[in-house]
Amino acid sequence: MPCIPDTICGADVDSLFAYPTVKIVRIRDSRLGLFKLFLIFLITLYVGLIQLWKDSGYLATEKVSGITRFTLQQPTVDDCSPTNSDCMNDYDSLES
């Protein structure tokens, strides 16, 4: 005599407590296996070369804003400001 009844309220006990599970299948077809490896190779090639290397997809891009300032001035003795009247120029001689 089993301790679990065959039915509960008219429903089959095996149907009430059934659950789904994953089944792992090994497909033994060389064409499908080679096709799968070929697709993995193409996807890796696309992500590696196109997205990361060519398009620099791993870098965040931002709009550049701001002002750039660039000044040139003659060389001076002790790096003083050339706007001072007592500042002397410090040019090198062109003769060797």
Side-chain angles (χ1 to χ4, degrees):
M1 251 293 194
C3 60
I4 300 175
D6 290 334
T7 60
I8 296 177
C9 297
D12 185 26
V13 175
D14 290 333
S15 296
L16 284 176
F17 297 110
Y19 62 94
T21 184
V22 177
K23 183 176 185 178
I24 302 210
V25 178
R26 180 177 207 98
I27 298 176
R28 297 179 59 200
D29 186 359
S30 61
R31 292 172 298 170
L32 287 176
L34 287 172
F35 185 65
K36 176 190 170 198
L37 290 176
F38 179 71
L39 286 178
I40 290 172
F41 175 74
L42 284 181
I43 292 169
T44 305
L45 196 68
Y46 171 74
V47 170
L49 290 179
I50 307 295
Q51 291 295 315
L52 296 179
W53 186 55
K54 180 181 172 271
D55 295 338
S56 299
Y58 59 94
L59 298 174
T61 57
E62 293 283 330
K63 291 271 185 187
V64 177
S65 64
I67 299 172
T68 302
R69 181 177 175 184
F70 184 77
T71 59
L72 291 175
Q73 64 186 28
Q74 72 267 21
T76 57
V77 176
D78 296 328
D79 293 325
C80 62
S81 175
T83 57
N84 292 343
S85 61
D86 56 340
C87 186
M88 302 296 291
N89 291 329
D90 190 21
Y91 291 112
D92 291 332
S93 174
L94 295 177
E95 298 175 4
S96 331

